[in-house]
Amino acid sequence: MTEGLSVLIPVYNWEVGALVNSLRAQRPDWPGPVEILLLDDGSRPEFRAANRLLGAHAGVQYQELPLNVGRAAIRNQLAAAAQHEWLLLLDNDSSLPDSRFLARYAAARAQAPVLIGGTSYRAAPPADPALRLRWLYGQTREARAASERRAQPYQQLTVNNALIQADVFRQYPLDEQLTGYGHEDTQFGEALAVAGVPVRHLDNPVLHEGLEPAAVFLHKSEQAVRNLAQVHRQQGLGTDSRLLQTALRLQRLHLARAARAALAAAAPTLRRQLLTAAPSLRLFDLLKLHWLLRELA
């Protein structure tokens, strides 16, 4: 049976021509029709002007939203517009690892209704010191082999680089109440786990190209911690997070108040260190613990 593929790419302040062209070149490797849907989420005019040209290609649809709706809502809108049985969710700042990316997904699609390919980072650190924190975090914490991710298939699920049956995604849409950055995939993974939907992790990573400067990454990470606190308060989720486990342990031991005060005093120093050319992930964890204890107070 022929099964079509809808590639869903939310676009925000990034030129996606290279990614789209790589996908177009690999369309023959998918055994069915392929469409590429681009939805701009309030980008700056120069990015809109560049990406609009992609809509002229056969099989590529480009549309723009008047206002930014956020990471969860835009993916739900793309899924609603998709025409085919399979959805491939990609972040706009991804690049494909080689010419066999779609072929590997096509070969594996019978294994499970949800396939997670993973993320990788370039081996060498970026020349710009401002990008070192984001690169180090990605290399150390996010670039995980499928064998490692399979130990916790639902907790290690990310909605970037995920091949999902359209009916499954529409039955368990992303929670649009989470605004800002982070943890929309935590709720999605939990919903799939509760429903018993099989998830399979593959070694088919995309390369994350869009490294943010440290100051921007710290701001987005603080948003993610806020979302972690929200999903825990409202739904009891996130307890697999080592960060949340530490905060809850401090609360149980009645040490949270003292830790919160000490970390609040140290926070400016921690932040300054993370903005240097040699950031420490251990200090980054302490800063995130400061944010989380403040949110849980």
Side-chain angles (χ1 to χ4, degrees):
M1 183 180 71
T2 299
E3 297 176 324
L5 173 67
S6 297
V7 184
L8 311 183
I9 306 176
V11 181
Y12 183 69
N13 289 341
W14 194 268
E15 291 191 19
V16 294
L19 175 60
V20 168
N21 288 334
S22 296
L23 289 163
R24 291 176 62 229
Q26 294 187 32
R27 281 188 297 191
D29 292 328
W30 184 271
V34 176
E35 63 175 359
I36 301 172
L37 306 184
L38 310 173
L39 185 55
D40 185 274
D41 199 14
S43 296
R44 297 198 301 269
E46 63 269 28
F47 291 102
R48 292 192 177 209
N51 291 323
R52 279 178 194 140
L53 303 176
L54 299 170
H57 295 301
V60 179
Q61 297 182 37
Y62 172 85
Q63 292 184 310
E64 297 174 356
L65 296 175
L67 297 173
N68 184 282
V69 299
R71 294 161 56 87
I74 194 167
R75 284 182 169 88
N76 289 341
Q77 289 190 32
L78 282 163
Q83 298 297 310
H84 296 312
E85 296 90 340
W86 285 95
L87 310 178
L88 175 57
L89 281 65
L90 295 174
D91 283 353
N92 65 180
D93 58 354
S94 302
S95 65
L96 304 190
D98 53 37
S99 62
R100 300 293 295 164
F101 176 74
L102 280 190
R104 282 190 290 272
Y105 266 138
R109 71 191 191 282
Q111 296 181 18
V114 179
L115 301 169
I116 308 298
T119 303
S120 64
Y121 287 79
R122 296 194 181 277
D128 185 351
L131 305 180
R132 300 277 174 83
L133 175 61
R134 184 65 186 94
W135 172 83
L136 180 64
Y137 185 84
Q139 274 276 39
T140 307
R141 303 284 176 83
E142 295 178 340
R144 295 173 173 171
S147 57
E148 183 179 354
R149 288 183 271 122
R150 285 172 189 154
Q152 294 180 304
Y154 298 99
Q155 291 82 2
Q156 296 292 325
L157 182 154
T158 58
V159 293
N160 173 36
N161 193 19
L163 182 69
I164 305 172
Q165 287 181 354
D167 289 346
V168 170
F169 189 84
R170 290 175 185 140
Q171 188 173 358
Y172 305 102
L174 301 179
D175 185 353
E176 299 181 13
Q177 293 184 354
L178 279 182
T179 58
Y181 177 84
H183 289 285
E184 63 274 6
D185 37 22
T186 298
Q187 292 179 312
F188 182 61
E190 177 67 13
L192 297 182
V194 169
V197 177
V199 171
R200 177 71 172 169
H201 288 264
L202 309 174
D203 283 314
N204 195 24
V206 291
L207 188 64
H208 182 200
E209 302 281 12
L211 301 179
E212 306 102 330
V216 175
F217 181 56
L218 288 177
H219 175 69
K220 293 174 71 173
S221 298
E222 189 170 1
Q223 288 183 329
V225 168
R226 193 175 300 120
N227 282 351
L228 174 60
Q230 180 177 330
V231 299
H232 176 66
R233 280 194 306 265
Q234 295 180 353
Q235 301 172 50
L237 304 182
T239 52
D240 58 293
S241 160
R242 192 169 299 176
L243 177 65
L244 182 58
Q245 290 171 2
T246 300
L248 296 178
R249 188 178 306 117
L250 288 169
Q251 286 184 336
R252 287 195 301 271
L253 296 173
H254 304 289
L255 297 173
R257 179 178 295 182
R260 190 163 58 246
L263 290 171
T269 301
L270 297 176
R271 183 181 291 273
R272 282 195 297 271
Q273 197 284 329
L274 294 168
L275 297 175
T276 69
S280 163
L281 290 186
R282 180 170 295 182
L283 298 185
F284 184 39
D285 290 339
L286 288 175
L287 185 60
K288 291 197 294 183
L289 182 59
H290 159 61
W291 293 331
L292 184 56
L293 289 172
R294 187 182 60 195
E295 290 294 323
L296 296 176

